[in-house]
Amino acid sequence: MQKKDRLGLRTWIEIDKKAIAHNYKVFRSLISKKIKFMGVVKSNAYGHNLVEFAKELEKLGADYLAVDSVVEGIALRREGITIPILVLGYTLPKMIEKVVNNNLDITVSSFDYFKEIKKINKSVNIHIKINSGMNRHGFLEGDIKKVLKEIKYSGANVVGLYTHFANAKNPAFPRDTKNQIEIFNKWREAFMGALLKPICHACPTSGTILYPEAHFDMVRIGIGSYGIWPSRETEAYSYGKFTLKSVLSWKTIIAEINNIKKGERIGYDFTEELKRDTKVGIIPIGYWHGYPRALSAIGQVLVNGKRAKILGRICMDIIMIDVTDIIKAKVGDVVTIIGQDGQENVSIDDIAALLDASSYELVTRINPLIKRIYK
């Protein structure tokens, strides 16, 4: 990326549009042409910028988008997104009018919500959410007849019927997912028997890869669109079949370099003692920016294609790194926090493994105020 593109920025995130296109093509190749592709862009597109990522998916040919809230859906409509949008999360009843005005689809997962839809006296596009075993929210198997009755009297327009898999990331343990598929199929059959033809969808990224029998009418691709594997097991299963390309790189600069003597202690609470004379680089980001404090003294970043260890405690807005072995390191050099630099790479999955954490959580926690630059 050119320096002019990051002028005035101490830290920034680069989003690779070619990688987005690559991942999109991978998942299109896994489903038949008649099956719809829903791009999940909820939660600021998993930290990648809601509007820009949604626009890329729309350009590539996505059939649907999924967001968490009506607020996110309206933001996309204001930016000219025209393809259907499903709100996956709970919608406040007072927002239903805005749902209709902005041509959004919403999730209905409780009987009380049918009453709210009936009050508005307008046609509301809904997707019925089924609890097929995850036990988070949704209608239970025994609710089928009552749900069909409520649909009739609420006047809602049933666009979709869906469920979510709880344990579809490990191909070694298929029973739970197959049980969920079986329950969902009962709902599909009941809706068809009632002459309803909703778009049926169940598979997230992992389900799309591992359970082709559950592709139904549409798949929901979230984490895979960003080039992140849902699990190590899913990645291992896919080895040699296809690859995903990481979309996001996070970068900053060296703001200062100090020479500190062996035996000195560094950072808050003096948690680390320097074992040698050390050239300490100061980088202007910290846990406020979304870099986990748990990486204190164990994390690594990249400078000029080489690894630099984090020293001491990560601060709110500052990290100290060891650049002693990076001979040409200087103030202004680019530091790669996540991504590739030369032959070295620090991936979000590497960081997650180091912390025994979720890659989903780490990437979505990157501060949304940091500029995302699509290139």
Side-chain angles (χ1 to χ4, degrees):
M1 189 179 71
Q2 300 297 315
K3 283 188 178 181
K4 63 180 177 63
D5 295 325
R6 57 179 176 85
L7 192 64
L9 300 176
R10 299 188 307 175
T11 186
W12 66 94
I13 289 168
E14 298 175 10
I15 304 295
D16 187 341
K17 293 197 285 188
K18 287 184 179 179
I20 299 172
H22 168 86
N23 299 331
Y24 177 81
K25 288 176 183 176
V26 164
F27 287 101
R28 273 295 189 190
S29 74
L30 296 178
I31 61 178
S32 75
K33 291 182 179 180
K34 66 180 181 179
I35 293 172
K36 296 179 184 295
F37 179 105
M38 174 183 279
V40 183
V41 294
K42 65 178 182 176
S43 306
N44 198 32
Y46 290 46
H48 292 66
N49 185 288
L50 170 68
V51 172
E52 293 298 324
F53 204 92
K55 285 183 176 180
E56 289 301 314
L57 289 181
E58 186 177 45
K59 282 185 212 170
L60 289 167
D63 303 291
Y64 245 94
L65 294 173
V67 296
D68 175 62
S69 66
V70 173
V71 172
E72 287 184 332
I74 291 173
L76 294 183
R77 289 290 186 237
R78 284 175 178 166
E79 292 293 329
I81 300 291
T82 60
I83 60 176
I85 297 172
L86 169 62
V87 177
L88 297 170
Y90 175 71
T91 296
L92 292 167
K94 67 180 181 180
M95 298 292 279
I96 297 177
E97 190 83 38
K98 291 185 178 181
V99 166
V100 175
N101 293 340
N102 287 276
N103 191 26
L104 302 174
D105 300 359
I106 57 172
T107 295
V108 172
S109 57
S110 70
F111 287 109
D112 287 340
Y113 213 85
F114 284 112
K115 298 174 185 175
E116 300 296 339
I117 290 173
K118 195 171 183 180
K119 288 178 187 176
I120 197 171
N121 199 28
K122 290 183 180 179
S123 180
V124 182
N125 291 337
I126 68 169
H127 291 232
I128 300 293
K129 177 69 180 290
I130 306 309
N131 176 7
S132 59
M134 191 170 182
N135 295 321
R136 188 167 61 175
H137 58 89
F139 296 104
L140 297 169
E141 185 178 347
D143 294 331
I144 295 177
K145 289 183 179 179
K146 188 176 178 183
V147 167
L148 289 172
K149 182 179 178 181
E150 290 290 343
I151 289 170
K152 181 179 179 181
Y153 289 109
S154 70
N157 178 32
V158 181
V159 176
L161 176 72
Y162 77 105
T163 194
H164 194 52
F165 296 145
N167 191 25
K169 296 177 182 178
N170 191 337
F173 302 99
R175 175 183 288 181
D176 290 332
T177 303
K178 289 186 179 295
N179 285 343
Q180 287 193 261
I181 294 170
E182 184 177 336
I183 290 169
F184 188 61
N185 273 322
K186 291 179 181 178
W187 280 86
R188 291 177 65 234
E189 291 168 7
F191 271 57
M192 287 188 285
L195 302 181
L196 294 172
K197 297 181 179 180
I199 299 168
C200 295
H201 49 109
C203 283
T205 295
S206 57
T208 302
I209 295 169
L210 300 176
Y211 298 94
E213 70 271 27
H215 287 175
F216 300 121
D217 304 311
M218 181 163 65
V219 296
R220 303 187 302 268
I221 307 301
I223 201 74
S225 290
Y226 308 97
I228 302 171
W229 291 97
S231 67
R232 296 284 185 183
E233 294 83 3
T234 310
E235 182 179 12
Y237 173 87
S238 306
Y239 182 77
K241 300 172 185 175
F242 60 87
T243 60
L244 298 178
K245 291 186 178 180
S246 181
V247 169
L248 178 149
S249 298
W250 185 6
K251 299 183 179 180
T252 184
I253 58 169
I254 296 178
E256 187 176 324
I257 294 178
N258 298 311
N259 295 303
I260 309 298
K261 295 292 185 182
K262 176 182 176 180
E264 291 284 348
R265 294 174 295 170
I266 189 167
Y268 280 119
D269 306 317
F270 291 141
T271 55
E272 186 168 0
E273 182 179 310
L274 300 178
K275 306 302 182 186
R276 60 176 178 173
D277 290 348
T278 304
K279 189 160 64 169
V280 178
I282 307 299
I283 60 176
I285 68 145
Y287 57 78
W288 180 83
H289 298 81
Y291 194 78
R293 189 171 182 267
L295 289 170
S296 296
I298 61 171
Q300 295 182 337
V301 296
L302 304 177
V303 181
N304 297 337
K306 294 185 178 180
R307 291 181 178 267
K309 177 184 173 295
I310 290 171
L311 298 170
R313 286 264 169 88
I314 290 168
C315 311
M316 189 181 295
D317 303 288
I318 295 171
I319 298 174
M320 294 78 74
I321 60 174
D322 186 349
V323 294
T324 309
D325 298 325
I326 305 172
I327 307 301
K328 295 183 179 180
K330 63 185 184 302
V331 171
D333 281 351
V334 172
V335 178
T336 299
I337 302 162
I338 298 171
Q340 187 91 20
D341 185 357
Q343 298 301 310
E344 294 286 352
N345 182 56
V346 176
S347 72
I348 197 73
D349 287 332
D350 293 335
I351 296 172
L354 184 61
L355 297 177
D356 191 24
S358 164
S359 56
Y360 294 72
E361 178 182 357
L362 294 174
V363 75
T364 55
R365 281 192 169 190
I366 299 174
N367 195 308
L369 296 179
I370 299 173
K371 186 175 179 61
R372 273 68 169 166
I373 300 171
Y374 276 64
K375 64 185 186 67

